[in-house]
Amino acid sequence: MSQARARDLLRRELTDILRREVQDPRAALASIADLTLSADRSHAHVRLSVLGDDRERQAAIRAVRRAAGFIRGRLGRRLRLRRTPELHFELYRGAEHAERIDQLLSEL
């Protein structure tokens, strides 16, 4: 399986698990903005976009990180990969940065 196909498969399954299987409703607020997979496929860095204020974003990231073991277990059952990657979740702030740039440009 190619690296791109493995990444797309991981993204699709992670999205489904976050939406349907993680019990914490804050985790369902997170959507995958970016996913990078290490060359040996042992680590996946998942950047999550979360709507809401900073407190809500941090709460959603904490909820997802707490469920990381559960999520990885579900991935292992669903996917037929040689190794289920370790999952590293972080908050994606791209939209926040774009909004700040727009604000600064409008002030000029």
Side-chain angles (χ1 to χ4, degrees):
M1 179 183 312
S2 74
Q3 190 80 348
R5 177 144 162 63
R7 193 173 52 245
D8 289 343
L9 186 59
L10 270 173
R11 183 183 198 128
R12 185 175 60 236
E13 294 301 327
L14 278 172
T15 298
D16 189 56
I17 291 167
L18 285 172
R19 298 258 184 269
R20 297 174 188 225
E21 296 187 36
V22 176
Q23 295 297 313
D24 193 323
R26 295 171 297 184
L29 298 174
S31 60
I32 299 172
D34 186 41
L35 187 144
T36 56
L37 193 56
S38 64
D40 65 355
R41 299 182 186 175
S42 63
H43 295 274
H45 292 273
V46 185
R47 286 164 200 80
L48 299 171
S49 177
V50 182
L51 295 177
D53 62 23
D54 195 49
R55 206 175 91 171
E56 292 168 328
R57 286 187 211 124
Q58 293 302 323
I61 292 297
R62 279 194 305 276
V64 172
R65 285 179 178 159
R66 273 196 305 274
F70 170 81
I71 294 167
R72 186 171 185 237
R74 291 294 185 180
L75 276 175
R77 288 186 198 104
R78 289 179 176 209
L79 304 177
R80 300 291 180 225
L81 297 175
R82 194 173 298 168
R83 176 187 306 158
T84 304
E86 288 287 332
L87 301 171
H88 307 278
F89 295 103
E90 53 192 72
L91 184 60
Y92 176 74
R93 297 185 181 268
E96 189 177 314
H97 290 298
E99 186 177 310
R100 177 71 178 136
I101 289 170
D102 283 343
Q103 180 187 7
L104 290 171
L105 288 173
S106 67
E107 290 174 4
L108 294 175

